[in-house]
Amino acid sequence: MYGTVNRQVTDTTDARFRRELDSFFAVTLLNVVVAVPAVGLGMAYVVASVLGTTDAPSSWLRVLAGALALVSFGLGLAWLRSSSHVLRGILLVRRPFRRRRGPPSEEDVTRGIVGMVAHYRENRMTIRRMILVCTVGGFFFLAMGIVSAVEFASFSLAGGSVTVNGFAVLPFALLALGIALVSLLSSYYFTRFSRSWDLRLAGTVRAEERLNRAMEMETE
Amino acid sequence: MRGRRSPYEIYWEILVYCRTPRAFTAVINRCDLNSRTGQEHIAFLVARGYLAVAKDGGKTAYAATDRAGEYIALFTEMYRKLFDTVPGFRL
């Protein structure tokens, strides 16, 4: 009860805006951080598959891993580029709030909201693409992780014990599964973010109609 | 990078900045506008009575009028409301 009342008192527009900005910043930053090993992992797999050094027990498994790696490498690059672009915009909106020591003025918060609205309006399609890339990329990395895990299991089962080569596959599997998890989570959070901001963009259209009416009434 | 702003958002930025009289170049620099669009927006706001033109010697400055205050207040209320009415996003 007290928590609800307390939250209502402290949950101002300013606090909500800054919290949302921080949340979006965190998700986008996580995307950039994870996109780098994703690209590296994809490249390592492609090279390993081309050189035939994966030591996969069957050739079809190696071909499959190579194909998945090539696709995930491309997705990783697209993912990194989109995330960096969106992150740059958020950093610009967020900077004045980070530098300020005291609570921001009403004007600063409104400026931040305008900045975020303008940023989302410009990058709406990029964020939609990011949702798609994160979803597709997530499933690709999941597949890569599973293929690597199968390779690891094959090594273990074939020899009756885990070999050095078997252990070499395990980090790849874990890394791919970790990237898949972050990617799918990002897709979920970006979808939620996008849903909120689509509603807000619709709200700005209504606000503009009202502002236009007010301007016309005043000049009459 | 300022994103894609609507004309109403640019008007708000110009009017807030011109609470104290400002030169044309200062306005376009601060509001990140090119000369042509800056001219168009400022001419529009002057024509509507939101900006007053003050000439001091050879220099021209633009200052927000009382009417601008009403626009700023309405704009601020409506944009802040976007965060009150729409369910927020958080981790």
Side-chain angles (χ1 to χ4, degrees):
Chain A
M1 179 68 182
Y2 172 75
T4 311
V5 173
N6 194 36
R7 196 164 55 245
Q8 279 171 353
V9 172
T10 56
D11 208 13
T12 57
T13 306
D14 157 36
R16 271 199 298 275
F17 172 67
R18 291 172 69 179
R19 195 173 54 224
E20 198 160 313
L21 197 60
D22 287 344
S23 298
F24 188 47
F25 171 75
V27 175
T28 316
L29 184 67
L30 191 67
N31 254 284
V32 174
V33 169
V34 171
V36 176
V39 172
L41 185 65
M43 191 182 272
Y45 254 85
V46 171
V47 170
S49 299
V50 167
L51 297 176
T53 54
T54 50
D55 287 340
S58 57
S59 60
W60 71 267
L61 209 57
R62 206 173 66 205
V63 170
L64 180 65
L68 288 175
L70 195 63
V71 174
S72 62
F73 175 63
L75 286 171
L77 274 183
W79 185 10
L80 184 62
R81 192 171 161 270
S82 305
S83 304
S84 308
H85 182 73
V86 173
L87 184 66
R88 225 173 18 246
I90 303 166
L91 284 172
L92 282 177
V93 177
R94 204 167 168 255
R95 194 181 293 161
F97 295 98
R98 297 276 296 164
R99 284 180 181 168
R100 182 174 287 276
R101 282 171 189 263
S105 66
E106 189 180 76
E107 193 182 301
D108 288 332
V109 176
T110 310
R111 183 169 288 113
I113 293 171
V114 169
M116 203 54 208
V117 165
H119 182 54
Y120 183 70
R121 195 182 281 131
E122 191 186 26
N123 292 291
R124 197 177 176 190
M125 291 315 293
T126 307
I127 291 170
R128 292 243 169 103
R129 269 201 303 275
M130 278 168 78
I131 293 170
L132 187 70
V133 168
C134 284
T135 310
V136 175
F139 283 115
F140 265 109
F141 279 109
L142 190 65
M144 264 177 74
I146 291 169
V147 167
S148 297
V150 169
E151 275 185 47
F152 175 70
S154 303
F155 279 127
S156 309
L157 290 173
S161 61
V162 180
T163 61
V164 175
N165 282 337
F167 272 122
V169 177
L170 191 61
F172 279 108
L174 292 176
L175 187 60
L177 290 173
I179 292 169
L181 180 72
V182 172
S183 183
L184 292 172
L185 269 177
S186 298
S187 164
Y188 167 72
Y189 283 121
F190 278 131
T191 305
R192 274 183 51 200
F193 174 83
S194 188
R195 205 171 290 151
S196 290
W197 279 89
D198 280 342
L199 288 172
R200 288 196 182 113
L201 272 195
T204 63
V205 173
R206 283 194 297 277
E208 283 170 9
E209 283 166 5
R210 202 174 146 196
L211 286 165
N212 189 34
R213 275 200 305 275
M215 286 176 110
E216 280 172 0
M217 273 167 63
E218 282 175 11
T219 44
E220 274 170 9
Chain B
M1 190 168 71
R2 303 276 298 200
R4 203 194 315 155
R5 291 167 296 169
S6 74
Y8 297 92
E9 288 158 3
I10 296 171
Y11 297 155
W12 177 82
E13 282 192 39
I14 293 173
L15 294 175
V16 165
Y17 185 57
C18 289
R19 276 179 177 150
T20 51
R22 309 282 186 180
F24 176 75
T25 45
V27 176
I28 61 168
N29 284 337
R30 169 69 184 239
C31 300
D32 200 18
L33 300 167
N34 64 41
S35 186
R36 191 178 61 83
T37 51
Q39 198 98 50
E40 281 172 13
H41 289 314
I42 288 173
F44 175 84
L45 292 170
V46 170
R48 295 277 173 137
Y50 290 98
L51 277 183
V53 186
K55 294 204 173 176
D56 182 22
K59 291 179 181 173
T60 303
Y62 297 93
T65 61
D66 292 341
R67 185 181 275 185
E70 291 167 27
Y71 179 88
I72 291 169
L74 180 62
F75 182 93
T76 303
E77 181 203 321
M78 299 202 68
Y79 268 64
R80 289 174 73 93
K81 205 180 270 179
L82 296 175
F83 275 81
D84 298 334
T85 52
V86 174
F89 160 79
R90 69 182 299 184
L91 290 176

